[in-house]
Amino acid sequence: MTVDLATREWTTLVASPATPAYPVTIPSIIRCASFDGELVPAFVYARQDMLDKTDASVPVVIYIHGGPESQFVPNFVPANHTLSFQFLLNEMGVAVIAPNVRGSRGYGTRYMKADDQMKREDSVRDIGAILDWIAAHPSLDSKRVCVMGRSYGGYMVLASLVHYSPRLACGVATCGISDFVTFLESTAVSQPSPSLHICQVHSHQLTPTDADWHTSQNNNSRSDAISVVQSMATSGSQRCARSCTTSRR
């Protein structure tokens, strides 16, 4: 729209979009208490007829945003991901939960820094709280839960599979971080998210203790804990995922 400053009249340049021909579900927001009492906000995409079921027949996708200092906000197509939540709902009958785990922006500095450095996997434990919420709802099938994410969200997918494979059916990680040491070494200058760097400046300044800790957190070295199907997508030009590119059953 434009406004004439003299007359203060508005002129519409682009007509409002037409109402979609397909149903559009508006998400509701929940807050799940995590292992330490931290309340983790999440958006739930589920039609009312799905929520009214009592036979645990509705499968669930947990979509984890990247960043980590990013934030999921309701939209038609998630940032950096082409899969429409409305498609999952209407065509596949799948509910979607999009949490903003600790480390997400938009909830204050304390919350955004709550997964820094050695507290990295506290955010993964927030996914455990989401799984608890799913298990407590009779309409949702806690045995058919998929975790999905891209970039740092891909790391979260892999880490969730490491820690929660018995509670998950599968995972989809797109260019996810599978080795923090090589990731930090190759992105020290270009990485825009400083909290990923334990020294906050350059990864080559990692002390042996820091490097040992990061190595212990690598999803590569813990892949034996993954007992469900996983799909990983990356390319040779992407530095965020270097290995661990096979699917496991």
Side-chain angles (χ1 to χ4, degrees), residues 161 165 169-170 223-231 246-249:
L161 291 172
S165 270
C170 60
S223 60
D224 286 346
I226 300 176
S227 58
V228 297
V229 174
Q230 62 172 307
S231 171
T246 58
S247 296
R248 298 172 57 88
R249 285 184 182 272

Side-chain angles (χ1 to χ4, degrees), residues 142-162:
S142 60
K143 296 181 179 179
R144 290 193 294 163
V145 179
C146 169
V147 281
M148 181 174 68
R150 184 183 187 276
S151 190
Y152 186 80
Y155 155 75
M156 289 289 292
V157 167
L158 298 176
S160 295
L161 291 172
V162 166

Side-chain angles (χ1 to χ4, degrees), residues 69-186:
E69 294 124 334
S70 185
Q71 179 188 25
F72 177 83
V73 293
N75 47 37
F76 283 101
V77 179
N80 298 321
H81 212 288
T82 58
L83 185 62
S84 168
F85 291 175
Q86 303 297 332
F87 174 83
L88 288 172
L89 279 166
N90 295 312
E91 301 299 325
M92 301 185 69
V94 176
V96 181
I97 301 178
N100 282 318
V101 297
R102 69 189 70 201
S104 304
R105 69 170 178 253
Y107 302 92
T109 301
R110 181 196 65 80
Y111 192 80
M112 190 169 66
K113 292 182 176 296
D115 71 334
D116 279 2
Q117 301 179 2
M118 302 301 186
K119 297 181 288 185
R120 179 63 53 202
E121 289 205 337
D122 285 358
S123 60
V124 181
R125 298 175 73 180
D126 291 344
I127 300 301
I130 300 297
L131 291 171
D132 291 340
W133 187 89
I134 292 171
H137 285 73
S139 62
L140 304 179
D141 189 348
S142 60
K143 296 181 179 179
R144 290 193 294 163
V145 179
C146 169
V147 281
M148 181 174 68
R150 184 183 187 276
S151 190
Y152 186 80
Y155 155 75
M156 289 289 292
V157 167
L158 298 176
S160 295
L161 291 172
V162 166
H163 288 282
Y164 299 114
S165 270
R167 305 178 66 183
L168 295 168
C170 60
V172 180
T174 304
C175 62
I177 302 167
S178 57
D179 187 315
F180 264 117
V181 175
T182 58
F183 172 78
L184 294 175
E185 288 173 349
S186 60

